Amino acid sequence: MTIPAPIIHGPMAIEKEWIDYNGHLNMAYYNVLFDRGSDEAFELMGMGPSYAKDRRLTIYTAEVHVCYVQELHLDHKVNVSFQLIDHDEKRLRAYQEIRHVDGWLAATSEQLALHVDMTGPKVAPFPADVMAKVEAMRAAHAALPMPERAGRSIGIKRRSA
């Protein structure tokens, strides 16, 4: 099976209930779009809904950094990309972008996810069959450049007097 690099999910519509009192997409729903946009990637790595149900193993988000670049509105349609940029035996680091179907960048997200045994719950190594799929995705995505917005931190830049 060929793994897309990056994985692109969409187009997806903005739902009416997601629009806030400012007339644009509420910040919480950018994360809904990112989550929906990662579904295909997790399925390709063998960690879809049946993985949690049948094997009692899943992914929990440990950390996320979202940058809101340009407002989205009700009439917009978007695509969400997923790039696996690193992993080890228990963790995944991924980068995503929400882009309007016309191509402009609306938001970025970088996540650190933990592989969890739900019987604990506790962080646990990926089983060998899943690790093989994670490694295959990482190999497919290794040729992609490191995203410019990955690894950002929050701070206030001060001007020198």
Side-chain angles (χ1 to χ4, degrees), residues 53-67:
K53 182 181 177 217
D54 299 340
R55 295 175 74 172
R56 305 291 299 150
L57 299 167
T58 194
I59 292 292
Y60 285 5
T61 300
E63 184 174 344
V64 65
H65 186 145
V66 176
C67 293

Side-chain angles (χ1 to χ4, degrees), residues 9-147:
H9 182 81
M12 292 185 272
I14 305 302
E15 298 182 20
K16 183 179 179 184
E17 300 78 28
W18 299 354
I19 302 300
D20 65 19
Y21 58 83
N22 293 313
H24 60 247
L25 185 64
N26 179 276
M27 63 183 276
Y29 294 100
Y30 284 82
N31 285 306
V32 170
L33 290 167
F34 284 124
D35 191 50
R36 289 181 179 176
S38 67
D39 287 345
E40 183 178 350
F42 285 110
E43 193 68 50
L44 286 170
M45 290 185 283
M47 294 181 278
S50 62
Y51 185 66
K53 182 181 177 217
D54 299 340
R55 295 175 74 172
R56 305 291 299 150
L57 299 167
T58 194
I59 292 292
Y60 285 5
T61 300
E63 184 174 344
V64 65
H65 186 145
V66 176
C67 293
Y68 305 94
V69 180
Q70 190 166 338
E71 292 179 4
L72 289 170
H73 297 276
L74 182 58
D75 61 337
H76 291 162
K77 294 207 180 337
V78 299
N79 294 311
V80 179
S81 65
F82 180 98
Q83 179 180 348
L84 183 60
I85 56 178
D86 199 4
H87 76 281
D88 65 14
E89 69 279 354
K90 298 178 184 178
R91 299 175 294 182
L92 302 172
R93 180 180 170 207
Y95 175 82
Q96 293 181 273
E97 293 183 343
I98 297 174
R99 289 190 174 271
H100 186 275
V101 292
D102 290 343
W104 51 264
L105 182 64
T108 64
S109 178
E110 186 175 359
Q111 310 89 24
L112 180 65
L114 306 175
H115 184 256
V116 173
D117 178 339
M118 295 186 331
T119 63
K122 63 182 181 273
V123 179
F126 295 106
D129 62 317
V130 171
M131 179 57 94
K133 293 175 183 175
V134 168
E135 289 173 344
M137 183 173 291
R138 180 64 195 118
H141 291 189
L144 295 170
M146 177 61 76

